[in-house]
């Protein structure tokens, strides 16, 4: 877990996670949508799910580094995209 975008990028570089659940409102100098391409740059195999309280479906769809989007209002649906991104049946 990272407290800010810069830490998330550093952690992704070292851990090379299979999945990053990225809050758009992450603390720090950049938002999740801005951090996503930087995370993908250091961990290209990582899947990134943008998780936010904001209506950002279009913005998330327009960012190639974002592999999935889920609004926080649908947190109960989190398992399905996670399973799909990780190819878990």
């Amino acid at each position: 877990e990272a407290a800010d975008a810069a830490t998330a990028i550093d952690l992704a570089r070292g851990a090379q996670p299979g999945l990053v659940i990225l809050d758009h409102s992450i603390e720090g100098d950049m938002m999740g949508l801005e951090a996503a391409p930087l995370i993908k740059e250091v961990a290209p195999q990582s899947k990134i799910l943008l998780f936010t309280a904001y209506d950002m479906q279009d913005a998330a769809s327009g960012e190639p580094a974002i592999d999935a989007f889920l609004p926080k209002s649908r947190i109960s649906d989190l398992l399905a995209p996670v399973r799909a991104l990780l190819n878990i049946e």
Side-chain angles (χ1 to χ4, degrees), residues 18-68:
L19 176 66
V20 174
I21 298 176
L22 182 61
D23 189 334
H24 178 65
S25 296
I26 194 167
E27 297 289 327
D29 295 336
M30 68 182 86
M31 303 299 278
L33 194 63
E34 297 168 296
L38 301 175
I39 292 171
K40 193 69 93 164
E41 184 178 308
V42 300
Q45 301 304 314
S46 296
K47 301 295 183 185
I48 300 176
L49 185 151
L50 186 67
F51 188 58
T52 181
Y54 301 102
D55 181 12
M56 297 187 60
Q57 179 70 48
D58 291 341
S61 296
E63 172 51 63
I66 302 292
D67 298 292

Side-chain angles (χ1 to χ4, degrees), residues 56-81:
M56 297 187 60
Q57 179 70 48
D58 291 341
S61 296
E63 172 51 63
I66 302 292
D67 298 292
F69 169 82
L70 186 70
K72 287 184 178 180
S73 62
R74 294 185 44 217
I75 191 166
S76 61
D77 297 333
L78 181 60
L79 189 56

